[in-house]
Amino acid sequence: MFLYNLTLQKATGIVTAINGNFSGGSKQEIVVGRGKVLDLVCPDDSGKLQTLVSVEIFGAIRSLAQFRFTGSKKDYIVVGSDSGRIVILEYNKLTNSFDKIHQETFGKSGCRRIVPGQYLAVDPKGRAVMVGACEKQKLVYVMNRDTAARLTISSPLEAHKSHTITYSICGVDCGFDNPIFAAIEMDYSDSDQDSTGLSAAEAQKHLTFYELDLGLNHVSRKWSEPIDNGANMLITVPGGGDGPSGVLVCAENFVIYKNQGHPDVRALIPRREDLPAERGVIMVSVARHKSLSFILVQSEYGDIFKVTLEHGNEGVTELKIKYFDTIPVTCSMCVLKPGYLFAASEFGDHALYQFQSTGDEPDAESSSTTMMELETEEGFQPVFFKPRRLKNLIRVDQVQSLMPIMDMKVYNIFEEETPQIFSLCGQGPRSSLRILRPGLGISEMATSPLPGVPNGVWTIKKNVNDEFDAYIVVSFASATLVLSIGETVEEVSDSGFLDTAASLAVSLIGDDSLMQVHPSGIRHIREDGRINEWRTPGKKTITKVGYNRLQAVIALSGGELIYFEVDMTGQLMEVEKHEMPGDVACLDIAPVPEGRRRSRFLAVGSYDNTIRILSLDPDDCFQVLSLQSVFSPPESLLFLEIQASTGGEDGADHPASLFLNAGLQNGVLFRTVVDMVTGQLSDSRSRFLGLRAPKLFPVNVRGRHAMLCLSSRSWLGYMYQGNFFLTPLTCGILEFAATFSSDNCAEGIVAVAAEALKVFTIDKLGETFHQTVFPLRYTPRKFVLQPKRKLLVMIESDQRAFKAEELEAAQNECFHALQDDNGNLHMEEVSENSELSDEQYGYPKAEVKNWVSCIRVLDPRTGETMSCLELEDNEAALSICIVNFNDKDYGTLLAVGTAKSLQFLPKRSFDAAYIHIYRFVDGGKLELLHKTQVDGVPLALSHFQGRLLAGIGNVLRLYDLGKKRLLRKCENKLFPSTIISLHCYRDRIYVGDIQESFHYCKYRRDENQLYIFADDFYPRWLTASQHVDFDTMAGADKFGNVFFVRLPQDVSDEIEEDPTGGKIKWEQCKLNGAPNKVEEIVQFHVGDVVSSLQKASLTPGGVECILYGTVMGSLGAFLPFSSRDDVDFFSHLEMHMRQEHPPLCGRDHMAYRSAYFPVKDVIDGDLCEQFPTLPMDLQKKIAEDLERSPAEILKKLEEIRNKII
Amino acid sequence: MDIKASDRFNINSQLEHLQAKYVGTGHADLNRFEWAVNIQRDSYASYVGHYPMLAYFAIAENESIGRERYNFMQKMLLPCGLPPEREDD
């Protein structure tokens, strides 16, 4: 079996983000590292974040830094990754890509303890970069410019120190003196030797300054001083002329200012009122901008503090920490120039905030003071505060993120053409159920009902230079309605259009006149209001029309074509006639090329299943240039010019090409390339779009030509980052559509849906899935489908959290306290605070043993929670399944495995564990039938032959339903550690162990015995599993690998044929292993922890593939290849891509995909899909080696993608 | 390379060189504790380096990723508790 790996949704979570002027303009951009993807993001004029470029780098991005030379206007990007190399990138605005400037190898690849890449620090003046490892190694590279102003990089200078752990590094701003880097370090050599524990207790973190002597080209330890042992982060303090220089050390509960020869200035971090006393506060992210005179730091609870330093001639005199605002915990924050704050959330959606104020007002809100004031008090008395609503920030945009995907299943609950992906996402209060549908989301701006069923809609400008449309014209069976677009959209009758007949086409023709084609003629309305009418000869009627800005062709009943052209004076003149062999099914004229008077190509579709390209040149008018036969009569034709672009947004430097698109009656969209000179058709591709013949409409998307295809689903064909995408839109069935542009909607679409007119816009291009989000209360763990009523039953649980009632009680108490103290004075504040959304502020932290959990029944159609059962006494729901016992009294039951006061550290322990059995009553409610105590944590439950199979710790047990409790029927205690997944098929049970991969078991009913007959060679730490077929399982491990294991055919047959079921052999197993071993047939490193696997087909009638969802919020698929030829083709393409296009950040592709186990039988589609981003000559070279043309390769890539989604 | 010519190239000195250069390279007299400490430090460094894994732990423990990273780095000091008493002293 060969598989094709394709990422459907790139990671949505963020590891780290930096901001700067990467394109060199005045605009600020953000570079976002998403694990294995590097993105450039930029807020547009309306404050919406747009992704300009997104590159898969086939490595792990661990740190990012930006630097610029003095006097330069452009920032470079330094990437710290797992490649054992330092990589310096530059954003190239022209080609819209990242260019690799330098790549220097310094160590082994992989995320290792002593190989640098974990930390990056730059000199604020851009003269040097330090790259550090967790332990020992730190390297300094000196950056310089050569005579041509190109960036040069020195060989590395070592700043190593053995037996030393590094916690953080940063550059120290010391103007143009020698660059200095600061590091938090701890020497562990003594504590490793001393068994008394004395030296371990005395082990001290040090702040060390490393000075790079630019003259001597040498790095030396300049200064080292002990600091607080809770130190975890360093922040550069502006120096030179802008500030006091030095660093801020963020430690647990403290922020300390330190500099060489300067006394420490220390301040306590204010604490939340509800924070338990034993918990500390550490800072996790920082935002600083030159234009801001202060530094923003965020704590692990989400509170942002403003840190200000007061300094004079004697250095820093005061350090202030003031509560600023609270936003969800971030991994990185970036302050952008026009007053934006980009917050890259650790989990859940990211956001863009705008500063309302800088928190300068001297209100009584918790502001912590300097050491001097602290000393007057007894001990360290922190300042307390209560999180409040956003005061200084306001949210302007949100970027959806699936991170982390906890569970994912594919069902077609809504009975749509394609199934929906149900995914449980997020953590704690930011949890959600997200329903993903392949396609782009639309945002509807207006809907208005129409008096009848329309048969066409158009929008027109009055003049070719107008920015906005003037009219919307809607045609009905025997009338035409004209709506003028202004402040409001209203009907007008003075437009000059004939309103007593249906319209076949309405358009701007020439520079400033309008054309209306109706069945009995053409009305040409000049700018000054003169109307010229052309009437059809005899009793013939116009059936079809094709037009562009200067030309029009009509087809009369019987098959006669008449060609009109706008002449120099603006008159619409009849030019030529032509008789076609039969009725014309559809017509289209290619758009007029820039600077020409006419387009040469007319496409005519006929009912004899052909499409002809005719010439419109005066010398060979109506000459057939080429002919294409198709499977079914064409219904609609559209020429689409895909523009050559050497820059701007979609980057790739393709030559302009003209595509002819045809919607066929059998629902297929047929696309072929039209030769711009000869009109020859070549390179055809087809795709099934829906059950109705697709109608094609030209639209504009981001200023580029795009195509809307309306079948039983609506599709948008558009260019995005160099690739052509044909993506469904998540809107209902549309009949007709046209572009729409007015002053409050620059790039919209007006469409007819049944008897209504809809105006909508398409927001996020490049998105594969459209999300519908329903918020949940706690971290969701698993869910199942209740088959009868199609409800989702999910379990949510959180450690270290308070129950909703407890929180409410605490809040009420607080409310009363305030009332008692202050009477009515603070009522406003109280009501304000009680409405704080947990989503924004997080739940308060409780003790480790505290658990909250609930079982929720949710109707996915409405998002309504039918019932939500909160568990009591720190009981946490951990596993769930639907079970039908042989005893038919109760019907479908729900089994939930729970544990009380579960703790993972130092060892897994719990007070009690249970299996609950619930009954569904009144449809959505749950009623507890009984609760059975078990002796281990039940992490896996499954229905099996009318009984309940449970993985309880390392015991596999079969239960039957009793009146008061579950009854043990059979068990097997031979599993190595903990059972976390169960899959059943016939009498086989596929057991997933938390650290020992799969075990294949058999249940013998006659002997009532469970036994293991096969297991895996490798210890694999399973995180997800999926049953593929009778002998095959797919699994994913904690380290980011996906693998398939299969029981060899002969072994499988032997076991099935053996009357004892392999039992005798089983009894002879050796070394505690099973007698048979499964074989690894597929192996692949995804590079992200896969949290769920699912076998499904996302296209109607498509092949089933294995979908995977990951912790970083990405979705991908493994598609099995159906032919050997395809395997050969793609493996060769992959090989060439590996050679010609090594990954951006220096990791070897093959090594990355084989990071833990050698990659086996998987072709990486993500690499193959980078083919269109290669320069044209390289594309040609690879294509030649593959004995194909670049276009054929693109077609292949498109085809295989279409098979998956 | 002539191995006999110089002691510098014998297997022991090569090993010593490796041990100095690559932290965690084992030797014949490595005891159980030292071995475990190395494994643990390597593991923590790997958890900190692989962000998805850090996130995975953070979800399990309901802590922020920043706190989880801090905890792992703190644990690198004495990953396996105090060293056993030396027999030879």
Side-chain angles (χ1 to χ4, degrees):
Chain A
M1 179 161 61
F2 280 88
L3 299 176
Y4 183 77
N5 164 64
L6 189 67
T7 302
L8 302 178
Q9 167 73 59
K10 283 185 183 168
T12 45
I14 293 179
V15 174
T16 175
I18 51 167
N19 61 305
N21 299 80
F22 300 105
S23 57
S26 58
K27 221 171 175 192
Q28 289 238 320
E29 290 109 359
I30 309 165
V31 170
V32 173
R34 302 179 187 269
K36 47 181 180 165
V37 179
L38 193 68
D39 283 0
L40 187 80
V41 180
C42 180
D44 64 8
D45 300 332
S46 58
K48 297 255 176 270
L49 286 167
Q50 303 290 354
T51 305
L52 298 186
V53 59
S54 173
V55 194
E56 166 100 43
I57 62 132
F58 307 104
I61 298 171
R62 298 154 79 189
S63 48
L64 288 173
Q66 82 280 25
F67 72 93
R68 73 163 74 180
F69 291 124
T70 23
S72 159
K73 285 201 163 140
K74 188 166 184 176
D75 284 298
Y76 291 99
I77 306 153
V78 197
V79 186
S81 68
D82 63 344
S83 59
R85 287 167 165 166
I86 184 168
V87 170
I88 296 176
L89 303 175
E90 183 185 14
Y91 173 63
N92 187 333
K93 203 178 174 185
L94 233 58
T95 58
N96 189 37
S97 60
F98 292 110
D99 289 351
K100 200 177 340 186
I101 309 285
H102 285 290
Q103 170 175 306
E104 298 296 322
T105 310
F106 50 65
K108 291 184 179 185
S109 60
C111 292
R112 290 164 202 262
R113 193 163 128 202
I114 58 156
V115 179
Q118 182 66 38
Y119 305 114
L120 272 178
V122 291
D123 171 56
K125 293 281 180 264
R127 295 167 299 172
V129 174
M130 179 183 258
V131 48
C134 294
E135 190 180 315
K136 185 179 166 186
Q137 295 201 13
K138 279 186 268 325
L139 296 169
V140 178
Y141 287 88
V142 183
M143 305 293 171
N144 230 321
R145 274 178 288 198
D146 64 6
T147 46
R150 280 180 308 222
L151 173 68
T152 61
I153 188 167
S154 72
S155 39
L157 304 169
E158 293 186 355
H160 299 345
K161 191 166 182 293
S162 300
H163 310 292
T164 302
I165 301 162
T166 309
Y167 294 85
S168 177
I169 61 175
C170 82
V172 180
D173 192 351
C174 43
F176 288 102
D177 294 342
N178 277 334
I180 292 177
F181 293 99
I184 304 175
E185 295 179 336
M186 186 191 306
D187 191 315
Y188 66 73
S189 51
D190 290 342
S191 18
D192 268 8
Q193 307 299 327
D194 182 13
S195 56
T196 60
L198 217 63
S199 26
E202 282 169 4
Q204 184 72 42
K205 283 184 187 170
H206 283 74
L207 178 71
T208 310
F209 277 20
Y210 290 90
E211 185 179 17
L212 166 67
D213 193 321
L214 287 170
L216 296 172
N217 204 23
H218 172 74
V219 182
S220 57
R221 281 170 82 88
K222 194 185 177 202
W223 177 65
S224 187
E225 197 173 273
I227 43 165
D228 191 285
N229 263 346
N232 71 315
M233 189 166 71
L234 288 175
I235 303 166
T236 310
V237 176
D242 308 327
S245 181
V247 290
L248 281 179
V249 182
C250 297
E252 200 161 10
N253 300 329
F254 291 100
V255 175
I256 308 152
Y257 171 78
K258 274 184 97 78
N259 199 359
Q260 195 176 2
H262 191 286
D264 288 3
V265 183
R266 166 195 280 256
L268 270 171
I269 300 170
R271 290 173 73 89
R272 277 195 186 191
E273 274 176 2
D274 53 15
L275 198 65
E278 71 278 5
R279 277 193 74 99
V281 184
I282 60 166
M283 295 302 184
V284 294
S285 69
V286 58
R288 201 170 65 88
H289 193 267
K290 275 176 220 130
S291 64
L292 292 176
S293 53
F294 56 84
I295 296 164
L296 295 180
V297 286
Q298 192 183 30
S299 77
E300 57 180 316
Y301 311 109
D303 306 315
I304 298 182
F305 300 96
K306 179 177 137 175
V307 178
T308 35
L309 289 162
E310 273 177 25
H311 62 97
N313 289 337
E314 301 89 62
V316 174
T317 51
E318 197 177 358
L319 170 62
K320 275 188 185 160
I321 307 179
K322 192 169 166 192
Y323 174 59
F324 191 73
D325 261 337
T326 301
I327 61 171
V329 189
T330 62
C331 56
S332 282
M333 295 190 290
C334 298
V335 178
L336 305 176
K337 233 192 207 129
Y340 287 126
L341 179 80
F342 173 68
S345 301
E346 281 187 346
F347 298 110
D349 297 348
H350 313 296
L352 188 70
Y353 295 89
Q354 194 160 26
F355 285 100
Q356 296 293 94
S357 66
T358 49
D360 288 331
E361 59 270 39
D363 48 10
E365 280 193 318
S366 3
S367 100
S368 175
T369 47
T370 58
M371 194 64 184
M372 285 169 285
E373 283 168 63
L374 268 173
E375 275 174 348
T376 61
E377 294 173 25
E378 299 273 303
F380 292 141
Q381 185 57 44
V383 179
F384 289 101
F385 70 94
K386 258 189 95 168
R388 54 161 164 72
R389 279 189 182 182
L390 291 182
K391 194 169 171 185
N392 302 310
L393 296 171
I394 182 165
R395 197 171 70 197
V396 289
D397 191 22
Q398 206 166 6
V399 184
Q400 287 186 323
S401 163
L402 296 170
M403 177 175 180
I405 297 177
M406 302 294 292
D407 196 4
M408 174 196 74
K409 286 192 172 78
V410 181
Y411 297 117
N412 196 351
I413 293 183
F414 305 124
E415 281 162 9
E416 291 167 7
E417 259 178 51
T418 54
Q420 304 86 48
I421 303 175
F422 294 83
S423 62
L424 296 180
C425 302
Q427 189 232 15
R430 308 192 78 205
S431 310
S432 55
L433 165 75
R434 293 179 191 233
I435 304 173
L436 309 180
R437 291 182 175 89
L440 290 171
I442 59 160
S443 45
E444 216 168 285
M445 308 200 52
T447 308
S448 57
L450 290 171
V453 180
N455 56 19
V457 63
W458 298 269
T459 53
I460 29 175
K461 291 174 180 162
K462 276 187 172 160
N463 188 297
V464 76
N465 298 320
D466 280 357
E467 198 182 338
F468 302 126
D469 291 318
Y471 298 117
I472 300 177
V473 180
V474 188
S475 161
F476 297 95
S478 61
T480 295
L481 179 71
V482 184
L483 305 164
S484 94
I485 306 168
E487 292 275 289
T488 55
V489 173
E490 52 196 23
E491 192 177 342
V492 286
S493 51
D494 58 348
S495 58
F497 288 114
L498 180 70
D499 55 4
T500 52
S503 297
L504 291 168
V506 175
S507 98
L508 176 77
I509 197 143
D511 284 341
D512 51 10
S513 53
L514 309 176
M515 175 184 78
Q516 180 190 18
V517 182
H518 49 87
S520 54
I522 301 176
R523 179 178 274 229
H524 184 213
I525 306 157
R526 302 297 297 265
E527 190 225 356
D528 49 15
R530 279 182 294 150
I531 293 172
N532 297 331
E533 191 90 37
W534 178 90
R535 298 224 155 262
T536 50
K539 282 186 177 167
K540 286 187 172 175
T541 55
I542 303 177
T543 54
K544 300 286 172 204
V545 175
Y547 60 92
N548 61 23
R549 205 170 54 75
L550 295 169
Q551 296 159 286
V553 173
I554 54 169
L556 300 182
S557 47
E560 190 180 3
L561 292 179
I562 307 176
Y563 172 40
F564 295 87
E565 226 179 78
V566 177
D567 68 4
M568 298 307 243
T569 61
Q571 286 285 346
L572 191 62
M573 304 294 289
E574 187 181 327
V575 179
E576 191 73 53
K577 279 188 185 174
H578 181 70
E579 198 71 39
M580 291 294 286
D583 262 344
V584 170
C586 46
L587 280 177
D588 194 43
I589 308 180
V592 183
E594 200 68 43
R596 301 274 185 88
R597 288 296 303 166
R598 65 173 69 83
S599 157
R600 186 155 178 244
F601 305 123
L602 165 73
V604 181
S606 312
Y607 289 106
D608 58 355
N609 296 358
T610 56
I611 300 169
R612 289 178 177 81
I613 302 283
L614 306 182
S615 167
L616 292 179
D617 266 359
D619 17 322
D620 59 348
C621 203
F622 287 120
Q623 186 89 40
V624 178
L625 296 175
S626 59
L627 187 132
Q628 171 82 47
S629 62
V630 285
F631 301 108
S632 155
E635 171 82 15
S636 172
L637 286 170
L638 181 74
F639 279 104
L640 186 68
E641 192 175 19
I642 294 187
Q643 282 161 324
S645 56
T646 49
E649 217 198 309
D650 41 40
D653 47 355
H654 289 288
S657 45
L658 189 66
F659 277 90
L660 174 67
N661 299 282
L664 308 185
Q665 272 183 6
N666 60 2
V668 167
L669 175 75
F670 183 81
R671 298 171 59 216
T672 85
V673 177
V674 183
D675 189 298
M676 299 282 253
V677 181
T678 62
Q680 285 300 315
L681 297 175
S682 61
D683 187 21
S684 60
R685 37 193 101 170
S686 46
R687 180 161 186 193
F688 177 72
L689 296 190
L691 299 170
R692 301 194 321 186
K695 286 197 272 290
L696 311 177
F697 299 92
V699 289
N700 281 327
V701 171
R702 300 266 175 85
R704 300 190 168 275
H705 297 305
M707 158 177 80
L708 203 61
C709 315
L710 306 180
S711 177
S712 54
R713 277 202 285 172
S714 308
W715 299 71
L716 184 74
Y718 63 105
M719 286 296 283
Y720 183 73
Q721 296 188 352
N723 280 325
F724 183 81
F725 285 94
L726 192 60
T727 317
L729 294 178
T730 47
C731 51
I733 295 178
L734 302 177
E735 307 286 340
F736 303 94
T739 56
F740 177 82
S741 126
S742 72
D743 46 350
N744 53 13
C745 165
E747 210 169 62
I749 289 169
V750 55
V752 170
E755 279 187 40
L757 208 57
K758 263 189 190 176
V759 179
F760 61 87
T761 56
I762 297 160
D763 302 322
K764 307 244 160 147
L765 293 182
E767 238 178 34
T768 336
F769 294 103
H770 172 68
Q771 308 180 3
T772 314
V773 185
F774 301 119
L776 302 175
R777 195 180 288 172
Y778 310 124
T779 309
R781 304 284 161 169
K782 283 171 186 163
F783 74 105
V784 288
L785 179 75
Q786 198 254 0
K788 210 182 263 165
R789 295 199 49 199
K790 304 246 189 259
L791 302 172
L792 300 182
V793 189
M794 56 195 78
I795 46 174
E796 305 166 32
S797 44
D798 262 329
Q799 201 183 5
R800 292 171 218 265
F802 290 110
K803 276 221 298 270
E805 296 101 81
E806 287 168 354
L807 285 178
E808 222 161 85
Q811 223 154 37
N812 281 339
E813 209 170 275
C814 189
F815 177 82
H816 288 304
L818 270 173
Q819 224 175 14
D820 291 342
D821 292 353
N822 304 332
N824 293 336
L825 272 174
H826 285 255
M827 277 306 281
E828 200 177 293
E829 191 182 310
V830 172
S831 62
E832 198 175 270
N833 279 344
S834 60
E835 282 170 34
L836 290 186
S837 80
D838 294 319
E839 206 200 310
Q840 186 80 4
Y841 302 96
Y843 294 133
K845 296 273 186 230
E847 275 179 62
V848 185
K849 282 172 86 174
N850 275 41
W851 278 86
V852 287
S853 185
C854 64
I855 306 164
R856 184 191 297 266
V857 185
L858 190 137
D859 187 345
R861 281 153 288 233
T862 56
E864 190 196 340
T865 298
M866 317 287 284
S867 72
C868 182
L869 211 78
E870 195 76 47
L871 297 182
E872 298 292 322
D873 288 341
N874 302 322
E875 205 171 339
L878 300 165
S879 53
I880 188 168
C881 88
I882 294 281
V883 57
N884 287 302
F885 283 101
N886 279 337
D887 176 4
K888 294 271 187 304
D889 287 357
Y890 295 111
T892 302
L893 297 175
L894 179 76
V896 176
T898 67
K900 222 177 212 181
S901 302
L902 180 66
Q903 270 177 284
F904 301 112
L905 290 169
K907 245 185 133 179
R908 189 190 300 152
S909 64
F910 59 96
D911 290 353
Y914 302 94
I915 296 174
H916 297 223
I917 301 289
Y918 293 98
R919 186 159 66 141
F920 290 98
V921 287
D922 316 331
K925 300 264 178 298
L926 290 176
E927 185 191 271
L928 182 69
L929 216 59
H930 54 63
K931 191 166 155 180
T932 311
Q933 185 157 5
V934 289
D935 50 354
V937 185
L939 284 178
L941 296 173
S942 174
H943 168 89
F944 179 70
Q945 297 184 352
R947 288 168 170 184
L948 177 71
L949 195 63
I952 295 164
N954 67 339
V955 183
L956 182 66
R957 198 173 285 154
L958 200 54
Y959 284 104
D960 214 338
L961 187 72
K963 286 266 180 282
K964 291 264 167 68
R965 49 170 293 141
L966 291 170
L967 309 169
R968 285 184 199 199
K969 288 295 167 198
C970 174
E971 69 176 13
N972 184 327
K973 292 183 174 177
L974 292 171
F975 291 90
S977 44
T978 305
I979 295 168
I980 58 151
S981 77
L982 290 171
H983 294 266
C984 305
Y985 189 76
R986 300 206 327 231
D987 63 344
R988 278 194 192 172
I989 302 158
Y990 309 84
V991 179
D993 188 272
I994 200 165
Q995 65 183 72
E996 297 275 352
S997 191
F998 292 114
H999 294 255
Y1000 285 24
C1001 305
K1002 224 173 160 61
Y1003 175 66
R1004 284 186 68 88
R1005 185 173 278 271
D1006 45 352
E1007 290 169 36
N1008 189 29
Q1009 246 187 342
L1010 278 166
Y1011 57 91
I1012 308 167
F1013 66 87
D1015 63 6
D1016 195 358
F1017 290 109
Y1018 297 110
R1020 297 189 202 253
W1021 296 69
L1022 285 184
T1023 53
S1025 54
Q1026 172 67 39
H1027 177 245
V1028 180
D1029 63 37
F1030 193 48
D1031 293 328
T1032 315
M1033 285 296 288
D1037 73 14
K1038 202 167 87 171
F1039 308 102
N1041 304 306
V1042 170
F1043 62 97
F1044 284 41
V1045 290
R1046 176 173 285 169
L1047 192 68
Q1049 190 62 52
D1050 50 335
V1051 180
S1052 177
D1053 291 346
E1054 202 180 301
I1055 286 158
E1056 291 313 301
E1057 282 157 18
D1058 188 349
T1060 68
K1063 189 173 157 248
I1064 296 182
K1065 220 178 158 194
W1066 164 65
E1067 281 163 352
Q1068 301 161 348
C1069 60
K1070 293 185 178 68
L1071 296 170
N1072 302 323
N1076 304 302
K1077 295 290 172 188
V1078 291
E1079 283 175 349
E1080 169 194 286
I1081 54 164
V1082 164
Q1083 176 66 59
F1084 188 72
H1085 181 64
V1086 172
D1088 193 351
V1089 180
V1090 172
S1091 51
S1092 51
L1093 288 165
Q1094 182 76 28
K1095 189 168 77 168
S1097 157
L1098 289 181
T1099 49
V1103 198
E1104 277 201 323
C1105 47
I1106 300 283
L1107 290 179
Y1108 59 88
T1110 71
V1111 165
M1112 289 295 287
S1114 76
L1115 284 171
F1118 291 106
L1119 176 82
F1121 278 107
S1122 49
S1123 84
R1124 191 78 217 177
D1125 288 349
D1126 279 354
V1127 176
D1128 281 351
F1129 170 76
F1130 281 104
S1131 51
H1132 280 100
L1133 179 61
E1134 189 190 30
M1135 185 188 78
H1136 285 291
M1137 289 298 292
R1138 274 178 185 154
Q1139 275 168 5
E1140 305 291 345
H1141 185 64
L1144 186 67
C1145 291
R1147 186 89 152 102
D1148 180 61
H1149 178 264
M1150 175 93 96
Y1152 176 67
R1153 291 305 187 193
S1154 311
Y1156 290 80
F1157 300 94
V1159 60
K1160 191 170 191 301
D1161 294 353
V1162 181
I1163 291 156
D1164 190 5
D1166 293 340
L1167 183 68
C1168 295
E1169 286 216 336
Q1170 291 191 350
F1171 180 77
T1173 65
L1174 296 182
M1176 208 55 211
D1177 51 335
L1178 212 53
Q1179 287 193 20
K1180 283 204 180 110
K1181 186 172 165 258
I1182 293 178
E1184 258 167 44
D1185 287 343
L1186 293 170
E1187 292 169 351
R1188 284 170 200 258
S1189 71
E1192 280 175 312
I1193 296 181
L1194 292 180
K1195 187 178 154 189
K1196 273 281 209 199
L1197 288 169
E1198 207 181 299
E1199 264 174 14
I1200 197 150
R1201 179 175 261 275
N1202 292 346
K1203 273 190 198 166
I1204 299 175
I1205 192 152
Chain B
M1 181 170 33
D2 186 6
I3 294 177
K4 286 171 202 159
S6 162
D7 244 357
R8 288 197 306 134
F9 296 113
N10 73 21
I11 187 79
N12 278 328
S13 71
Q14 278 183 34
L15 253 182
E16 265 167 37
H17 172 73
L18 275 179
Q19 273 147 9
K21 191 168 174 196
Y22 299 111
V23 177
T25 311
H27 53 85
D29 299 326
L30 194 77
N31 66 29
R32 182 190 162 91
F33 176 78
E34 286 162 347
W35 179 81
V37 161
N38 261 324
I39 297 278
Q40 286 299 316
R41 287 215 177 101
D42 283 344
S43 302
Y44 286 131
S46 168
Y47 300 158
V48 170
H50 292 105
Y51 193 80
M53 195 115 76
L54 209 53
Y56 190 69
F57 284 116
I59 298 161
E61 296 203 29
N62 194 16
E63 290 282 5
S64 80
I65 295 176
R67 166 63 81 168
E68 207 66 11
R69 181 188 292 124
Y70 173 78
N71 286 350
F72 286 144
M73 287 305 290
Q74 291 296 86
K75 281 181 187 166
M76 279 177 86
L77 176 62
L78 279 181
C80 304
L82 292 174
E85 278 182 43
R86 290 235 178 135
E87 282 160 21
D88 47 15
D89 300 342

